[in-house]
Amino acid sequence: MSNNKTSYQLPDLPYDLNALEPVISKEALEIHYTKHHKAYVDKLNEALDKYHEAELKKNVDEMVALQSAIQFNGGGHINHSFFWKCLQPKKDATSPSKDLLEVIEKDFESLDALKEKFNAQATAIQGSGWCWLAYNELTSHLEIITTLNHGTLRENKLLPLLIVDVWEHAYYLQYQNKRADFLKAIWDIVNWGAIERRYKKI
Ligand code: MN3
């Protein structure tokens, strides 16, 4: 079995641990990335190893019982990996290009209105979850949606453009209970270039 061990890895961050300061401190990013994200990767690997063993033994009860751990930790790994790529140092901040801005204005009236709506929905998440800006292939519109815990967009015909982590571990060290303050600050480090590249591939 040892050769069949699953080994998803913690992906490299596209910047240094202190690069997102002051919005996300070095300490906060270090804990978030090397402890929280790492734990999801480890637990995903563990659950998948057990799943493979159960599959070999044709133990469907065990396979079904492992689904929840795979979904939770796998979603945590997928969402965090995407989240890191949605951010960049404040010094590199850019605004959406004219083309992207036109799309945003069509669906939200203005960039400020998009941010306001996004933050309102993210603030309102009860408990832990994620807030997304996504493209809906069925309606051809941009949408803001939220998922609870580590829910992903996979099943919804939605193509993710931006994600923000709204778990308390994402902000508590610096912002304590003020989730809204964290969400206000996060826009300073949103990587609009990356969002634009994703949108152009649609
Ligand atoms: Mn997190």
Side-chain angles (χ1 to χ4, degrees):
M1 280 301 292
S2 61
N3 290 337
N4 295 325
K5 285 276 181 204
T6 312
S7 59
Y8 284 96
Q9 307 284 332
L10 192 62
D12 287 339
L13 280 183
Y15 32 73
D16 293 334
L17 287 171
N18 63 359
L20 302 180
E21 291 188 336
V23 177
I24 299 175
S25 71
K26 183 185 176 197
E27 188 190 14
L29 182 57
E30 189 163 19
I31 294 171
H32 198 170
Y33 171 66
T34 68
K35 307 286 185 202
H36 290 278
H37 187 171
K38 175 75 162 49
Y40 297 126
V41 173
D42 291 345
K43 286 177 186 166
L44 172 64
N45 287 331
E46 201 179 295
L48 285 172
D49 284 340
K50 284 186 189 161
Y51 187 91
H52 296 321
E53 279 173 40
E55 197 174 21
L56 287 173
K57 290 176 187 159
K58 301 195 188 306
N59 184 345
V60 73
D61 280 349
E62 179 69 5
M63 288 162 75
V64 169
L66 286 162
Q67 296 290 325
S68 155
I70 293 169
Q71 188 177 27
F72 182 78
N73 294 294
H77 175 45
I78 291 167
N79 289 355
H80 281 95
S81 299
F82 184 52
F83 180 47
W84 308 133
K85 289 192 277 190
C86 287
L87 305 177
Q88 68 178 4
K90 193 173 175 176
K91 67 176 173 51
D92 301 331
T94 52
S95 302
S97 70
K98 197 169 160 284
D99 287 352
L100 184 57
L101 203 54
E102 271 177 26
V103 177
I104 288 169
E105 286 170 351
K106 187 162 64 82
D107 286 332
F108 298 99
E109 293 192 0
S110 70
L111 179 59
D112 282 345
L114 157 65
K115 291 178 183 176
E116 203 174 302
K117 192 175 178 194
F118 188 102
N119 287 10
Q121 287 189 221
T123 305
I125 293 173
Q126 294 183 335
S128 299
W130 298 81
C131 194
W132 310 70
L133 175 67
Y135 178 76
N136 186 327
E137 283 185 294
L138 298 176
T139 64
S140 305
H141 286 293
L142 296 178
E143 275 181 31
I144 293 163
I145 43 160
T146 59
T147 56
L148 290 176
N149 298 314
H150 290 316
T152 69
L153 293 195
R154 179 85 184 190
E155 63 273 24
N156 296 317
K157 278 264 177 200
L158 294 171
L159 302 171
L161 298 172
L162 167 68
I163 190 174
V164 174
D165 191 339
V166 201
W167 282 56
E168 276 190 349
H169 71 227
Y171 58 86
Y172 208 85
L173 203 58
Q174 289 171 272
Y175 301 86
Q176 289 80 45
N177 60 319
K178 300 183 211 69
R179 184 190 281 183
D181 287 358
F182 166 68
L183 288 164
K184 205 171 164 190
I186 200 86
W187 293 101
D188 285 344
I189 54 169
V190 161
N191 188 336
W192 284 105
I195 294 172
E196 178 119 24
R197 285 191 293 279
R198 285 176 206 124
Y199 183 75
K200 281 191 171 152
K201 280 191 206 157
I202 289 167

